[in-house]
Amino acid sequence: MKKIIINGGHRLKGRVTVSGAKNSVVALIPAIILADGLVILDGVPDISDVASLIDIMKAMGAKVERQEDSLIIDPRGVQNMPMPYGKINSLRASYYFYGSLLGRYGEATVGLPGGCDLGPRPIDLHLKAFEAMGASVSYEGSAMRLATENGQRLKGATIYMDTVSVGATINTMLAAVKAVGRTVIENAAREPEIVDVATLLNNMGAHIRGAGTDVILIEGVDKLHGTRHQVIPDRIEAGTYISMAAAIGDGVQINNVLYEHLEGFIAKLEEMGVRMTVSEDSIFVERQEKLKPVIIKTAPYPGFATDLQQPITPLLLTTQGRGTIIDTIYEKRVNHVAELGKMAANISTIRDQIVYEGPNQLKGAAVKATDLRAGACLVIAGLMAKGQTEITNVEFILRGYSNIIEKLTDLGADIRLIEE
């Protein structure tokens, strides 16, 4: 079992570089199955989700080589094989294999997705899109089978997303790029990760227009070729380090940041009174003094990202007064609250709404990461706390934060990863 041990109270100073976007790369790797040639991804984060995806790709017959932060993938040997068990079940992003395998072979048998437990996250929108394009859905034990009649190509369709969904939007794009005719996705999600996946697919020869807007048009093509692609910076990792720098920093510069991907988040920091300097591809966060409490309400992009409400929570605990957090995306994303309570935080939940009051002097404690972003929240809290904090379930954290121990150590944190 792995644990993170933090001796808190050491103020952070220096520079940290944001890695490639986890929420992009977990879709980009399955997308490469659609290519008929070699694809190179640059800026790939060193996280366990990527390691699992590499293992899955190799098991399917792809050749994969890692060179520092680049992945070289030759998908031409990929076989259409059932993947009901193993690493597939540990990944929420495993559902992207539905779209890519359907697009390449007209069928897919893949285990039901896993990942963080954030309450119900149904994939009915994905299935609705696949069925509209001519696929049938059946279940084989713990796996789902999707198939067109006699393995024929999917057919273009007009698909309206009943709710805005990043996963369903990307999966529909993957299925549609080799479909016969035109596919229209209405009420599409607009997140930067969708634009990143569309950019890769277009560089491979796809015809996708409108990514980043709420209507995406896809003209199906017969073949896709190899290419080279730079993964966008991880806006959630950037927001996590910005929150950390504001909470316990003595001047921290966060590099490889795209401000336009973080406008909703940065606007809320400015409302709090956080002092920072925004440059073309970096943000310098000063040491903070008195900050104001705010009301945070998560929303689909370009609103305040649900993935950042947990990492910003320790910073909110330093403010002078009372505020609330309302997560409209995942109402049950409150498990970090009880763990922060163990660290003497004045924070509680009322009907799935988080209420906090500060300022707080956090105290080190034994806590448990219940999901990826809750884990990031506890790391920040541990850095701020007086005394030692021990975090278990750190596998969640390693799923999404590349080289987090090394990055924080370089900033002056007293943090280590141990294995028992």
Side-chain angles (χ1 to χ4, degrees):
M1 183 175 65
K2 294 180 179 178
K3 296 180 180 179
I4 289 177
I5 305 295
I6 304 171
N7 290 308
H10 298 270
R11 299 198 68 86
L12 309 180
K13 189 177 181 66
R15 299 181 179 185
V16 63
T17 299
V18 172
S19 301
K22 177 254 186 191
N23 288 339
S24 275
V25 80
V26 296
L28 294 169
I29 292 173
I32 292 171
I33 288 174
L34 294 160
D36 299 311
L38 195 74
V39 176
I40 301 174
L41 295 181
D42 296 316
V44 176
D46 183 12
I47 55 176
S48 61
D49 271 12
V50 166
S52 295
L53 287 167
I54 290 172
D55 289 344
I56 292 168
M57 293 288 284
K58 286 180 175 178
M60 296 173 67
K63 295 179 181 178
V64 185
E65 180 184 353
R66 179 144 199 166
Q67 296 181 356
E68 296 182 350
D69 71 345
S70 295
L71 276 186
I72 304 167
I73 302 178
D74 186 344
R76 286 172 288 192
V78 168
Q79 302 294 314
N80 182 25
M81 55 188 288
M83 296 185 295
Y85 309 115
K87 293 184 184 295
I88 282 287
N89 303 101
S90 68
L91 288 168
R92 181 66 187 172
S94 63
Y95 55 43
Y96 291 129
F97 286 102
Y98 295 145
S100 58
L101 288 171
L102 261 179
R104 176 164 173 172
Y105 294 110
E107 62 176 332
T109 301
V110 182
L112 296 175
C116 297
D117 182 9
L118 300 175
R121 294 194 285 174
I123 60 170
D124 55 323
L125 293 179
H126 306 238
L127 304 184
K128 171 186 170 182
F130 298 148
E131 288 175 327
M133 290 188 280
S136 60
V137 181
S138 59
Y139 294 89
E140 299 180 356
S142 62
M144 185 181 299
R145 175 171 169 76
L146 304 164
T148 60
E149 187 174 352
N150 300 320
Q152 296 175 346
R153 289 171 64 185
L154 295 166
K155 295 180 173 62
T158 297
I159 298 153
Y160 180 85
M161 296 290 171
D162 295 327
T163 58
V164 176
S165 167
V166 174
T169 299
I170 291 177
N171 233 344
T172 304
M173 289 197 308
L174 296 178
V177 288
K178 284 190 171 182
V180 177
R182 168 181 281 198
T183 298
V184 181
I185 308 173
E186 298 178 340
N187 198 31
R190 299 162 55 191
E191 272 73 0
E193 294 79 14
I194 292 169
V195 178
D196 202 25
V197 175
T199 300
L200 170 70
L201 293 170
N202 282 339
N203 289 342
M204 287 161 49
H207 294 161
I208 303 172
R209 291 181 293 138
T213 75
D214 59 0
V215 178
I216 299 175
L217 306 175
I218 306 163
E219 297 288 349
V221 298
D222 294 332
K223 296 189 70 175
L224 296 175
H225 51 72
T227 189
R228 187 163 197 154
H229 177 78
Q230 176 71 43
V231 182
I232 61 171
D234 193 316
R235 61 194 173 98
I236 307 303
E237 183 184 359
T240 299
Y241 282 111
I242 293 168
S243 297
M244 188 184 299
I248 189 70
D250 259 346
V252 177
Q253 180 168 306
I254 298 94
N255 295 324
N256 196 31
V257 178
L258 293 178
Y259 165 77
E260 57 268 29
H261 291 174
L262 287 164
E263 288 186 80
F265 171 74
I266 290 174
K268 192 57 67 172
L269 293 181
E270 290 174 339
E271 183 183 338
M272 293 171 64
V274 172
R275 299 191 306 276
M276 55 192 159
T277 303
V278 178
S279 302
E280 183 178 352
D281 60 355
S282 67
I283 294 178
F284 179 79
V285 182
E286 302 175 24
R287 180 170 180 148
Q288 308 302 315
E289 295 176 2
K290 292 184 178 179
L291 298 177
K292 296 179 291 185
V294 293
I295 297 172
I296 287 176
K297 189 173 184 179
T298 68
Y301 187 83
F304 193 101
T306 178
D307 279 359
L308 283 173
Q309 68 96 337
Q310 290 162 296
I312 201 176
T313 303
L315 174 61
L316 297 175
L317 294 173
T318 70
T319 61
Q320 312 279 319
R322 183 182 177 93
T324 57
I325 305 170
I326 304 165
D327 198 321
T328 66
I329 311 298
Y330 300 126
E331 295 177 354
K332 302 297 183 181
R333 200 168 205 170
V334 297
N335 290 336
H336 58 301
V337 171
E339 301 304 306
L340 289 171
K342 296 175 184 176
M343 302 178 72
N346 188 354
I347 188 169
S348 61
T349 56
I350 302 174
R351 294 184 298 277
D352 296 331
Q353 179 174 300
I354 299 170
V355 179
Y356 65 90
E357 187 165 358
N360 292 258
Q361 174 56 67
L362 300 180
K363 298 177 182 178
V367 292
K368 178 174 67 176
T370 54
D371 60 75
L372 169 57
R373 307 306 172 184
C377 165
L378 295 176
V379 169
I380 298 173
L383 295 171
M384 297 164 56
K386 183 177 181 179
Q388 186 174 94
T389 297
E390 177 184 290
I391 306 173
T392 54
N393 270 19
V394 300
E395 287 77 12
F396 280 119
I397 300 168
L398 303 179
R399 282 186 51 225
Y401 287 92
S402 182
N403 302 315
I404 186 170
I405 304 299
E406 295 84 352
K407 289 180 179 181
L408 291 178
T409 299
D410 288 346
L411 290 174
D414 185 344
I415 182 172
R416 64 188 190 276
L417 178 69
I418 63 172
E419 189 162 359
E420 295 181 339

